[in-house]
Amino acid sequence: MHGPIPPHRYFPYLTWTDIEAMSDRENVVIVQPMGAIEQHGPHLPLVVDSAICTTVLGQALTQLDAAIPVYSLPPLYYGKSNEHWHFPGTVTLSAETLLRVIHDVAESIYRAGFRKLVLLNAHGGQPQVLEIAARDLHLAHADLMVFPLFVWAVPNCAGDLLTAKEMELGIHAGDAETSLMLSILPDQVRMDRAEAEFPQNLPTDSWLTMEGALPFAWVTRDLSASGVLGDPTVATLEKGDRLLGSLASGWVTALTDIYRFCQPQAKSI
């Protein structure tokens, strides 16, 4: 049941007595992998974001120093995916439901004595929800450290492998995600169905952008008939292997930093 997560790092395999016996529980890092079940064009399965998040985390945990206590919760496969719901197969939670799920998971972890929770997300449609949840949880429990993090945010080699156009506009089911899936779940990738599609009629001579500093609201149907935003036709296994390795390496460093992290405290005046 642990999938790509090393079994000795898989939280559900612990017993309650294992947890009770843990020393320094407040510095043990608990990770909640988060993805989505949503359309990724005609060539990729619905599970892309969940598969990428869990596999990157699993590889990072395999490489992590054994002395650093980090455990993974089961993946949260469903996310806030309503930007894709015009495409059959997408399963979405509302923002309110996702907030409640995160809240209840975090409260359970807190009650067990843990004080460091990573919300490790691979779905681009929900970082803002995670950020709201993290702030509210820290306000509710001043000693609870919550990290709302995006799996792609660590330094990685994407810039060396993808075109400038792909880096800017290839945000869904394009070269990067397709290459990664060729590395992770090659039997589920249908390259014969891959087609390139980039968003059309974006604002020109304007500060407004799809996902920049001054974004506008959109749903996928506004930008793509196929559900693809990018060029998956140029994806390769070699690129996927390199992306996976660089992301995993980045998360080894990030998880180590989280283990060492201490919540800042302002001095009293």
Side-chain angles (χ1 to χ4, degrees), residues 26-102:
E26 61 270 20
N27 283 312
V28 172
V29 179
I30 305 298
V31 183
Q32 174 62 78
M34 305 184 70
I37 300 297
E38 63 182 28
Q39 75 82 24
H40 275 77
H43 68 293
L44 289 179
L46 305 172
V47 77
V48 168
D49 294 341
S50 299
I52 289 173
C53 184
T54 309
T55 304
V56 168
L57 175 60
Q59 293 218 0
L61 292 177
T62 299
Q63 300 171 35
L64 189 66
D65 185 338
I68 297 177
V70 180
Y71 295 92
S72 174
L73 295 167
L76 182 57
Y77 284 97
Y78 300 129
K80 181 186 176 293
S81 298
N82 55 345
E83 70 270 31
H84 297 289
W85 69 8
H86 301 101
F87 296 84
T90 296
V91 178
T92 185
L93 304 179
S94 67
E96 294 79 8
T97 297
L98 183 57
L99 281 169
R100 289 305 312 173
V101 170
I102 295 170

Side-chain angles (χ1 to χ4, degrees), residues 191-265:
M191 287 302 292
D192 59 313
R193 299 185 181 182
E195 56 183 276
E197 186 174 0
F198 288 93
Q200 301 296 311
N201 302 314
L202 292 177
T204 58
D205 191 25
S206 171
W207 286 358
L208 302 177
T209 60
M210 190 170 63
E211 289 207 321
L214 298 174
F216 57 89
W218 54 267
V219 296
T220 308
R221 187 177 63 177
D222 297 332
L223 306 175
S224 172
S226 66
V228 173
L229 294 167
D231 185 1
T233 67
V234 296
T236 66
L237 171 61
E238 179 187 5
K239 282 191 274 191
D241 288 345
R242 289 180 61 186
L243 281 168
L244 183 57
S246 69
L247 287 167
S249 178
W251 281 103
V252 171
T253 300
L255 290 169
T256 302
D257 286 348
I258 291 166
Y259 171 66
R260 295 171 177 167
F261 180 79
C262 294
Q263 185 71 44
Q265 297 288 333

Side-chain angles (χ1 to χ4, degrees), residues 120-140:
L120 182 58
N121 170 47
H123 168 41
Q126 60 194 17
Q128 299 84 356
V129 179
L130 275 60
E131 291 166 5
I132 291 169
R135 179 66 54 80
D136 286 352
L137 285 163
H138 183 57
L139 282 169

